[in-house]
Amino acid sequence: MTASSQSVEPFDLVIFGGTGDLAVRKLLPALFHRFLDGQIPASSRIVGIAREALNDAGYRALLREALIGICDAAKLDVFLQQVFYRSLDARKDAGWDEFAGFIGAQPDHVRVFYLSTSPELFVDICTRLGHYGLNQGASRVVLEKPIGRDLASANQINDAVGKVFTESQTFRIDHYLGKETVQNLLVLRFGNALFEPLWNAGHIDHVQITVAETLGVGHRGAYYDRAGALRDMVQNHMLQLLCMVAMEPPSSLAPDAVRDEKLKVLHSLKAIDESNVSQLTVRGQYRAGVAEGASVPGYPDELGNNKSNTETFVALKAEIANWRWAGVPFYLRTGKRLPSRVSEIVVTFKPVPHSIFSADAGTLSQNRLVLRLQPDEGVKLWLTIKHPGPGGLRLRHVPLDMSFAEAFGVQQPDAYERLLLDVVRGNPTLFMRRDEVEAAWRWAGPILAAWSASGEAPRPYTAGSWGPSAAVALIERDGRTWNEDQ
Ligand code: NAP
């Protein structure tokens, strides 16, 4: 049986960057869905903040347009009565006194300050939240990625936030951790006796993690060009997924029990640096091609800069130096303008030690557990069976579909729905602790440094392809191939 939705304490959720893309496209729809499910107490307030001179009515009209497709207008209008707007500049004091009074009017509410702005504003916002006495009672701050662009800048942000909010009040969000499939990975691994005995170098051949996008950089070029695929995807989302696959069983789901185990994985990652970067990593940058049936420009044209050395694709082979995983490669691949939008983890088991079947029965394939995060969240276990019926013994490789959302009549929630309410509840299990962010930068930093020292440009690849051919060679050198069952 599933538990029904549990309501939460009344809260005030303040979204800095309330008119931005993330807030309008993801955060407000997530809150609206939770409202429709009856999880948002009636006295709770959602407050958008940005510099634009809007009032409550103007902000509600903006959101109305964005949310109208989700449900009927009457319910939306009730929801919007709980939404407010304050025009504030994170860098100026005007208006902050009034804002502090507005929030202070409901002193018993849980306060959530969601920083959905560029990270350059995090320090200003937190300093003012402290200065105007807004960190009171049950207050929490949510930090969107990216937290810095290297270890030093991440530390700077974390130090400044830490002057106002304690670590237990600080929620560093990685929305991949809120995805249903990632939760399911935890349950599959630790709620079944079947997998754990096989979950090690003795039985697992390798793991692949792919996060592929069909889109180019679009209007995010200025941000993206300073980041690149390693900082944008690998250092955070993909390492978090790797940790969920590779961590030891935590003693409970208590926040620190889970995060301690993830941290150990990050500490056990083998270094990739100047000595091995060319064997273990491939960087690419897309050129003009065809994506989703349309001709698209290359990255230099989209950016308006043909000198950019930023990678829009990375493939790498990571290894975890501990007893469980020694010798098991974790192949990671991510990029923009790839042929399909897919995020998945593929755990490939070792082949059977000896085949008793004749060649005309067909070939034996290795078992694979495929955890799909998007577009269609689900879990499949690929098994070999006998083709049913007469006609001789023929082997078939078939997926056992373990995606039960349909069977349970459940519409899968967006990751932000779960994570936003976890913040209100004060449950940081699915958020990154400061030491995790630091450990991830300690591993990623030498890769970035080695790329920079090599002076090599990223390899070009055609938009709509699976990246540079060197990425295929990276895995084929080891006698393996990227998963193609899309
Ligand atoms: P965006 O569309 O550029 O929105 C930025 C928001 O910040 C706007 O509401 C803007 O409004 C406000 N703002 C800018 N300067 C301000 C200031 N001085 N004081 C107060 N408000 C200010 O950015 P976004 O795409 O929503 O992204 C926000 C953050 O989330 C970024 O760090 C991004 O990397 C991260 N993120 C975004 C996505 C996504 O899908 N968009 C996904 C993951 C992470 P005004 O200009 O009116 O002030």
Side-chain angles (χ1 to χ4, degrees), residues 17 19-22 25 50-52 88-90 116-117 144-145:
T19 57
D21 177 69
L22 182 68
R25 210 168 41 82
R51 289 167 304 177
E52 192 179 345
L88 289 181
D89 187 334
S116 176
T117 65
E144 254 302 337
K145 73 153 206 185

